[in-house]
Amino acid sequence: MAHATKPILTAGKYTALLAYLTFALFPLYWLLKIAITPDQLIYTEGTNLWPSEVTFSNFRTVVFQTDFLAYFGNSLYVSLGTAAATTLVAAAAGYAFSRFNFVGKKLLIAVMLITQMFPLLMIIAPIYKIVASFGMLNSLTSLIVVYTAFNVPFATFLMQSFFDGIPKDLEEAAMMDGCTRFQALAKVIFPLTLPGLGATLGFVFTAAWSELLFALMLISKNEAMTFPVGLLTFVSKFSVDWGQMMAAGVLALIPSCLFFIFIQRYLVQGLTSGAVKG
């Protein structure tokens, strides 16, 4: 009886997995489908699974006749800067919370948790006034500072969980062998936390890459706009250029995909570098 039900369970598992993948990837498929559909067919064949004609003119127009590359570069600069700064601060703070007891530790953790409870719409006006008082409006650096400030609490807790999973005995053994704490951190702990660093980098990069509210409020000059704000330029008062907007959306997926491919190497490296030879 068990042998008879095993194929059914296996088929059910793969059917459920296929259904989930279809549900998750269908919006990306539809994005690509609209991007390669000629403008005159978007409304007449909008519900078809595949257009009767295919064109790449939307991609050419977006790349060569709009400011897409400038928006693209701005977003890349902001996202990489935010990911690097946030991960560096979060790794240091997460290590401190995991390894040391100090006065006010619980209060500081509580304050960091409270900062995650406020909706962004409630604090966008104070943030705007603070940034304006420093003369940093229309500055990509201001976006990096704001994004870093908002991502550090969650990233810190994420890194702390990874440090908590590493036995303190490893550091103590390294220090007994003559390493300083910093050397033990660099040579022993750091390789083991590469999965955590990779997860934090990926999370923060994605959050900064797709953020719209602060970029819309703090940036008004066209040359400083990030990609999510630049997408709004495809929306006019009376119409929306769906083909070009979807083409720009497809191109925007490339950095995220390449970034996670790069991070995956370090995820695997981090999981294997901690192996102990017997």
Side-chain angles (χ1 to χ4, degrees):
M1 184 68 177
H3 293 289
T5 58
K6 187 175 181 180
I8 298 177
L9 293 176
T10 302
K13 179 178 67 175
Y14 283 106
T15 301
L17 180 61
L18 180 61
Y20 171 76
L21 289 175
T22 302
F23 176 79
L25 297 178
F26 184 79
L28 300 181
Y29 159 77
W30 204 255
L31 186 75
L32 177 62
K33 182 255 183 184
I34 297 297
I36 61 176
T37 301
D39 292 339
Q40 66 273 15
L41 298 180
I42 287 181
Y43 293 100
T44 59
E45 298 184 359
T47 58
N48 293 352
L49 290 179
W50 195 254
S52 58
E53 297 181 27
V54 172
T55 180
F56 292 96
S57 60
N58 290 322
F59 290 93
R60 289 192 295 269
T61 301
V62 166
V63 173
F64 298 109
Q65 299 181 24
T66 69
D67 293 324
F68 169 80
L69 293 181
Y71 303 149
F72 191 89
N74 292 339
S75 283
L76 199 60
Y77 171 76
V78 171
S79 300
L80 290 176
T82 302
T86 301
T87 302
L88 181 62
V89 174
Y95 180 79
F97 284 136
S98 177
R99 292 296 191 260
F100 303 108
N101 290 316
F102 51 88
V103 178
K105 175 180 176 179
K106 292 183 178 179
L107 177 61
L108 184 57
I109 292 176
V111 171
M112 292 176 65
L113 285 173
I114 291 174
T115 61
Q116 302 298 292
M117 300 178 184
F118 293 100
L120 295 181
L121 289 176
M122 181 185 297
I123 56 179
I124 185 63
I127 292 295
Y128 180 88
K129 293 194 69 173
I130 292 173
V131 173
S133 66
F134 282 96
M136 297 180 64
L137 292 177
N138 295 308
S139 169
L140 296 178
T141 303
S142 67
L143 289 182
I144 294 177
V145 172
V146 172
Y147 291 169
T148 299
F150 276 91
N151 284 295
V152 159
F154 179 82
T156 296
F157 296 132
L158 185 63
M159 288 303 305
Q160 181 185 355
S161 66
F162 278 93
F163 285 119
D164 288 341
I166 300 175
K168 295 181 180 180
D169 296 343
L170 294 177
E171 290 171 271
E172 294 174 356
M175 288 188 286
M176 289 181 63
D177 290 338
C179 289
T180 64
R181 179 174 290 275
F182 181 79
Q183 288 173 331
L185 176 64
K187 296 180 180 180
V188 178
I189 304 303
F190 175 74
L192 298 177
T193 55
L194 283 177
L197 293 172
T200 303
L201 280 169
F203 167 79
V204 177
F205 180 89
T206 304
W209 181 261
S210 59
E211 202 283 326
L212 173 63
L213 181 60
F214 285 112
L216 185 62
M217 295 299 295
L218 301 179
I219 303 295
S220 58
K221 291 184 178 180
N222 188 68
E223 61 269 19
M225 287 182 179
T226 57
F227 175 76
V229 181
L231 278 180
L232 297 179
T233 61
F234 296 105
V235 181
S236 64
K237 185 176 181 180
F238 299 104
S239 64
V240 179
D241 197 327
W242 292 110
Q244 293 183 23
M245 180 180 286
M246 297 303 107
V250 172
L251 294 175
L253 294 175
I254 297 176
S256 297
C257 294
L258 294 178
F259 186 80
F260 277 99
I261 291 174
F262 173 76
I263 290 298
Q264 186 180 20
R265 293 177 48 203
Y266 292 92
L267 289 175
V268 176
Q269 179 182 347
L271 292 172
T272 58
S273 62
V276 179
K277 295 182 179 179

